[in-house]
Amino acid sequence: MPYRKKGTTSSIRWKWGLRLTVAFLSLFLFTSFFVLSKIHESLYEKERQDAEEMVHTVSETFAQLDTSLTENNVKSLMEKISVSTTTRGVLRVDNVPYLDELEGRGITIRVFNTDGRLLYESRRMNTAFQRNSGFYFNETKYNNRDAFVGGNTIVGKENSMLLGYVQIVFRMSDYHELVSQNNKYIFVFMLLGSIICVLLGYGFAQYFFRPIKHMADTMNDITEDTLSQSRINIKSKDRDDELTDLSEQINNLLDKMALYVSQQKQFVEDVSHELRTPTAIVEGHLKLLNRWGKDDPQVLEESLHASLNEITRMKTLVQEMLDLSRAEQVQMHYHNEITPIGEVVKQVFHNFEMLYSEFTIYFDDDLDNERYVNIYRNHLEQILVILLDNAVKYSTERKEIHISISETLSRVQIAIQDFGEGMSQEDQKKIFNRFYRVDKARSREKGGHGLGLSIAKELLEGYKGDISVESVLGHGTVFRIQLPFMVDYQKEEEEI
């Protein structure tokens, strides 16, 4: 799959930026509408309470009359009534004219006699008269806006006779004006809040996904250039989160990939070099035979012998390359294999005793009981044969080899020591590299390609083991291999 270009709208940063923006915006709008609705409810309830109290207060004022209601005495009484606002915001009645204030507040007072005839109206309007037997207060609509209408009967103070009816209509002008202003303010507030939500959403997405973007950019650099040294920059070592762990793992993986690519490049170069010589030798002999060697039995025999030797070397090299390739996949194919390590070491020891009778081979077995390791038997034999072959090849005058096997708390250690040429510290660092040979000229004479120790190392690492070397130039070498043994399997064997 091709790498996605930077800045594309389908980037995970933009997707999460959109999601965070929607989340922030939804939360902001929900909170704003909720708060606004609560404010409007509070204002509405206050208007209702004030209106109800005014209906009661005006009704009590008219109840001071003892005579029947007429247009004149009603108008005279209305001119003496005033409504003011206390600290609690409740309308109170005073003896100060207030008709202008009523008009400004959208309040209309109407008075009717017992027959329902209109005697007084502070402002002309078409609200229908309601004949009620007592106090009433209802919600209504006026010009398609919320309003209240309330009223009460007017009863004489002394004789308790029905004198008429009072009706008050509250158009709630202050309330609607305040709500209108609030709506304007809340619109501006929501617009600014929405912009902030967008900035926060995309800002948080950019911030939180910046490490992932850096990972993607690094992987893109690696894709474009396999040998690129680009790595994820971990700015703070104090951060201890999943992204930091992932960044470190990716960096480790990239380091391994770079190492593998470098080794592969070196591997191809070395193989090409190793195959070039025998190929050139075979080609030279064939050309020699083609020109005039077919008629000379001696030349024919020498050319055929040399060509066959070089082909044998090439076959060995190809086989070792295949072994090395398979060694890298042991955990995939042989993870369930179990082998008694002491038994295998003894078997290989006896085989080499028989093959190399001119050598004195010592074997020290310090195992109290047989130990079982998770390794394919043939691979363990192959590792031991590689090390013992090297011990034989690089021994000099002192033809002596020591083999020992011992155990620690959880691992078995096998040591193979020779008293031959040895190697320098520099050689010891490179001895497990592919195609590396301490003395290439002498190694070629001995038939080596420099792959044996690489195969042994790959096999051991595949089975969670390790190999190390100690050597003194001119005095010999010791190879040590370690493998974890299976404690539980040992217990099962003992119980049986």
Side-chain angles (χ1 to χ4, degrees), residues 184-288:
K184 292 178 182 177
Y185 293 145
I186 202 68
F187 174 77
V188 176
F189 177 69
M190 286 184 177
L191 181 61
L192 293 175
S194 299
I195 295 173
I196 293 173
C197 287
V198 172
L199 294 177
L200 285 176
Y202 281 95
F204 278 123
Q206 294 289 330
Y207 176 77
F208 287 122
F209 287 96
R210 184 169 54 186
I212 296 179
K213 178 181 180 298
H214 189 38
M215 293 178 195
D217 292 341
T218 301
M219 299 308 294
N220 187 46
D221 293 340
I222 299 298
T223 302
E224 293 176 355
D225 180 10
T226 309
L227 296 178
S228 171
Q229 296 300 312
S230 178
R231 295 294 183 269
I232 299 171
N233 183 23
I234 303 174
K235 294 184 178 180
S236 175
K237 292 293 184 182
D238 297 331
R239 284 183 58 185
D240 186 16
D241 54 24
E242 289 81 358
L243 287 177
T244 302
D245 293 340
L246 181 60
S247 299
E248 291 177 350
Q249 293 296 330
I250 291 177
N251 282 342
N252 292 336
L253 178 62
L254 292 177
D255 290 339
K256 288 183 179 179
M257 286 176 57
L259 177 62
Y260 291 153
V261 171
S262 177
Q263 287 180 344
Q264 183 183 30
K265 182 180 179 182
Q266 185 65 39
F267 182 81
V268 172
E269 291 176 356
D270 289 340
V271 169
S272 300
H273 180 269
E274 292 293 329
L275 291 177
R276 187 181 299 117
T277 301
T279 303
I281 293 173
V282 172
E283 182 182 17
H285 282 289
L286 291 176
K287 288 181 178 179
L288 178 64

Side-chain angles (χ1 to χ4, degrees), residues 270-446:
D270 289 340
V271 169
S272 300
H273 180 269
E274 292 293 329
L275 291 177
R276 187 181 299 117
T277 301
T279 303
I281 293 173
V282 172
E283 182 182 17
H285 282 289
L286 291 176
K287 288 181 178 179
L288 178 64
L289 292 175
N290 188 47
R291 283 199 301 269
W292 49 270
K294 290 179 288 186
D295 299 327
D296 189 334
Q298 184 177 354
V299 173
L300 178 61
E301 183 179 355
E302 290 178 358
S303 296
L304 289 176
H305 179 72
S307 298
L308 288 173
N309 284 341
E310 294 303 321
I311 290 174
T312 301
R313 289 186 66 247
M314 285 192 286
K315 283 177 61 179
T316 304
L317 175 61
V318 171
Q319 184 59 50
E320 287 181 346
M321 290 167 58
L322 291 174
D323 290 341
L324 188 60
S325 176
R326 295 191 187 102
E328 298 171 350
Q329 304 174 10
V330 292
Q331 275 298 313
M332 185 184 302
H333 303 292
Y334 302 100
H335 59 278
N336 291 324
E337 296 291 336
I338 298 173
T339 299
I341 191 167
E343 177 185 320
V344 175
V345 175
K346 289 176 185 177
Q347 175 189 324
V348 175
F349 160 66
H350 290 305
N351 290 342
F352 268 75
E353 265 193 327
M354 179 182 64
L355 288 173
Y356 300 98
S357 56
E358 71 276 18
F359 276 80
T360 302
I361 304 177
Y362 298 95
F363 176 53
D364 295 325
D365 185 359
D366 292 333
L367 295 180
D368 295 330
N369 299 296
E370 180 63 271
R371 292 300 185 185
Y372 294 84
V373 292
N374 179 203
I375 187 172
Y376 182 43
R377 185 185 183 106
N378 289 356
H379 287 163
L380 180 58
E381 291 177 359
Q382 186 177 6
I383 294 167
L384 295 174
V385 167
I386 289 171
L387 298 179
L388 287 169
D389 267 339
N390 278 347
V392 169
K393 288 178 183 178
Y394 294 99
S395 290
T396 52
E397 296 179 358
R398 185 177 174 181
K399 297 186 179 300
E400 183 179 325
I401 298 174
H402 287 207
I403 305 172
S404 65
I405 181 170
S406 59
E407 65 178 276
T408 60
L409 292 176
S410 60
R411 300 170 80 84
V412 175
Q413 182 182 93
I414 302 171
I416 297 176
Q417 179 180 11
D418 66 65
F419 300 90
E421 300 174 2
M423 65 187 83
S424 65
Q425 290 291 330
E426 186 66 25
D427 288 330
Q428 292 177 49
K429 295 177 183 178
K430 302 177 182 179
I431 194 67
F432 297 106
N433 294 348
R434 297 175 180 182
F435 292 107
Y436 184 80
R437 289 178 297 224
V438 176
D439 186 337
K440 294 189 177 183
R442 295 192 62 184
S443 296
R444 185 178 300 277
E445 293 173 2
K446 298 173 185 289

